[in-house]
Amino acid sequence: MVMCILMSSGLIYSSTIVNALQVDRYWSVLEGDQLTPRTTTYAHGFIGLKFREDFKQLVYNVNVNNIENITGIYVYSRGDNTKNGTILFDLVEEAKEVKVKDKFKETKMMLAKKYEIEGTVAVGGITSDDLQGDLKGKSLEGLHKLMQNGGIFVIVVTKEFPRGEIGGGEFVPIDRFFPDI
């Protein structure tokens, strides 16, 4: 009986290790205090990212609350001591339908409204062809590696906060945030 318990726990443990190595889903909290300089706002949200196993596509979902007049949702590289970061892509401009047709149409209508926005504001997918700045001409594997090394951050820009109202850059790996596509 003791041997069965050890074997079962070993299987669970080894399964956990395999899953942890194969995580392709990440999320980050979006808040005003994540920006430099910090912003004073009631707005907050999160971004979820999912890389396809072959790195041909990145699917994303941005959800916000208490925010108005979004003009862009930008993913930046952080840069380093010798140069500033660059815009890698705009999640509002690059939005494409990716097996989420109804949600895609719903978010486009929501962004067109003139009052406080709550809920999903950007959903879609990008490919390596959409990458700009430091990653132009590179693969989504380069973006994945940059993200894992803390090299990207997201800024939600509004009319009131043209340099960003909320943002985030600490991407946490998670399993099963998005269904497999």
Side-chain angles (χ1 to χ4, degrees):
M1 183 164 180
V2 171
M3 189 169 165
C4 289
I5 293 170
L6 290 174
M7 285 177 38
S8 294
S9 65
L11 290 173
I12 292 169
Y13 179 72
S14 66
S15 173
T16 302
I17 289 172
V18 170
N19 286 338
L21 294 175
Q22 296 175 352
V23 171
D24 58 357
R25 296 160 175 90
Y26 301 85
W27 73 280
S28 180
V29 172
L30 304 172
E31 295 178 317
D33 66 0
Q34 302 267 342
L35 298 175
T36 305
R38 293 176 181 220
T39 58
T40 303
T41 180
Y42 291 108
H44 60 279
F46 70 87
I47 179 171
L49 303 175
K50 180 192 183 301
F51 290 88
R52 273 192 21 194
E53 286 182 26
D54 60 3
F55 288 100
K56 298 286 186 204
Q57 188 175 53
L58 167 69
V59 179
Y60 59 86
N61 179 5
V62 181
N63 189 292
V64 296
N65 290 296
N66 302 318
I67 197 165
E68 296 178 346
N69 301 315
I70 294 174
T71 58
I73 303 171
Y74 301 101
V75 176
Y76 282 85
S77 64
R78 288 196 186 271
D80 58 27
N81 293 335
T82 62
K83 65 178 180 164
N84 291 331
T86 61
I87 293 177
L88 301 176
F89 47 92
D90 179 349
L91 295 176
V92 173
E93 290 298 317
E94 298 298 338
K96 296 180 182 76
E97 296 180 38
V98 184
K99 291 189 178 184
V100 286
K101 192 178 233 174
D102 293 336
K103 186 55 97 173
F104 182 81
K105 288 178 184 175
E106 184 182 307
T107 60
K108 286 292 187 189
M109 289 186 325
M110 187 181 300
L111 284 174
K113 294 180 180 176
K114 300 290 184 218
Y115 58 86
E116 190 172 283
I117 297 171
E118 293 194 6
T120 301
V121 293
V123 62
I126 66 162
T127 65
S128 59
D129 294 338
D130 300 314
L131 295 175
Q132 305 168 28
D134 295 338
L135 293 180
K136 187 171 183 72
K138 301 200 172 141
S139 73
L140 288 177
E141 284 182 271
L143 176 65
H144 185 258
K145 185 175 181 178
L146 194 62
M147 183 200 61
Q148 286 182 316
N149 293 328
I152 68 170
F153 63 97
V154 178
I155 295 179
V156 179
V157 176
T158 61
K159 287 182 182 177
E160 186 179 349
F161 294 89
R163 298 191 70 192
E165 184 165 351
I166 58 176
E170 295 180 22
F171 285 87
V172 178
I174 55 173
D175 197 17
R176 302 293 172 255
F177 186 70
F178 289 106
D180 288 328
I181 295 178

